[in-house]
Amino acid sequence: MDVQAALEDMGDKPPGFRGSRDWIGCVEASLCLEYFGGPQGRLCHVPRGAGLQGELERLYSHFAGGGGPVMVGGDADAQSKALLGVCLGPGTKAFVLVLDPHCWAAPKNPTELQIAGWVGWREVSTTFDSKSFYNLCLTSHNSEKQLPPQD
Amino acid sequence: MDLLTRFFRPLYDCRLSVPESTPFTAVLKFAAEEFKVSAATSAIITNDGIGINPAQTAGNVFLKHGSELRIIPRDRVGRFTEPMTGLA
């Protein structure tokens, strides 16, 4: 409700949005991060059909430079995901560490989260739908500078 | 004073010239019409990915973010319904 109120108060959503079941996504998240004085959230648009292969180097640099979780939203693929890391394998294989942000339990340890399926490594080519565009919201502390990629 | 703003989308760009007091919601609407997309499901961001709250004047946006902007579709998020299986 705080997020809905903020979006309505800042003028991004019309009156009546508060208490509604209308969709939000990465754009609204980045506006709210700024509104609440949180980490910076930079948006990256991935056109339909492009897939995330073209953004892997950027994601690698983001995480290597100390960047925070990356929120992912789409249209045809509306299943929200948060990326926590990226692994570039040999050849063209690549994997991302995906967290389902709907997790509400208080796990005893990280393994419990993995076993329950809330977090896990997923191959990029099968996790993202080529029929969907995606917006990524890359979070980072406002005072941090991006470090150069480390090989 | 009129502001010249340049909008980018993949493969297209357009230039708009508006008075600086123009509400940015109107600029979004003009740009969306130019690209034949819905303003309600579009958003304006800077070239380096900063989201722009449309509830301010064009002059304010220009001062804070410059005049080269991008229009992107808004995404939506929902429930992840399939159980995930990790590699480990």
Side-chain angles (χ1 to χ4, degrees):
Chain A
M1 286 294 283
D2 285 346
V3 167
Q4 289 183 319
L7 289 168
E8 193 176 309
D9 290 344
M10 72 173 79
D12 184 60
K13 298 297 181 196
F17 180 73
R18 217 180 298 240
S20 74
R21 296 174 68 84
D22 291 347
W23 291 98
I24 61 171
C26 290
V27 171
E28 289 81 0
S30 74
L31 293 175
C32 285
L33 283 172
E34 186 183 7
Y35 184 86
F36 290 114
Q40 183 180 69
R42 285 188 190 272
L43 293 164
C44 171
H45 176 68
V46 182
R48 204 181 308 281
L52 249 67
Q53 293 286 348
E55 301 302 324
L56 291 175
E57 290 291 338
R58 178 178 182 157
L59 287 170
Y60 183 88
S61 295
H62 171 76
F63 290 118
V70 176
M71 180 178 171
V72 181
D75 63 338
D77 179 2
Q79 295 176 342
S80 59
K81 310 173 204 2
L83 306 183
L84 303 179
V86 63
C87 177
L88 305 180
T92 57
K93 279 209 168 184
F95 301 87
V96 282
L97 185 59
V98 181
L99 169 74
D100 183 345
H102 296 96
C103 176
W104 68 88
K108 296 186 184 63
N109 52 61
T111 306
E112 213 174 273
L113 285 174
Q114 279 188 292
I115 293 170
W118 292 111
V119 68
W121 287 99
R122 300 286 298 267
E123 192 175 345
V124 169
S125 60
T126 55
T127 299
F128 297 93
D129 186 350
S130 61
K131 297 185 191 65
S132 182
F133 73 77
Y134 290 97
N135 287 332
L136 313 178
C137 180
L138 290 79
T139 62
S140 57
H141 290 296
N142 291 330
S143 57
E144 271 184 15
K145 288 184 182 175
Q146 284 274 339
L147 297 175
Q150 297 175 16
D151 294 324
Chain B
M1 182 177 90
D2 275 12
L3 301 176
L4 182 65
T5 301
R6 189 172 176 193
F7 282 92
F8 291 91
R9 249 197 112 192
L11 304 181
Y12 301 107
D13 72 87
C14 80
R15 292 170 191 254
L16 295 176
S17 180
V18 299
E20 61 181 53
S21 59
T22 303
F24 203 71
T25 45
V27 176
L28 169 57
K29 184 170 177 289
F30 295 150
E33 283 171 4
E34 191 68 21
F35 288 115
K36 298 181 176 38
V37 296
S38 163
T41 57
S42 298
I44 304 291
I45 66 173
T46 65
N47 274 344
D48 56 356
I50 303 297
I52 294 177
N53 183 346
Q56 52 187 321
T57 63
N60 244 15
V61 172
F62 175 78
L63 278 173
K64 282 196 273 189
H65 304 293
S67 61
E68 294 215 340
L69 304 169
R70 292 172 184 263
I71 184 167
I72 65 169
R74 292 193 186 228
D75 59 288
R76 55 181 196 162
V77 295
R79 186 169 184 87
F80 196 63
T81 56
E82 294 178 5
M84 295 193 292
T85 54
L87 293 180

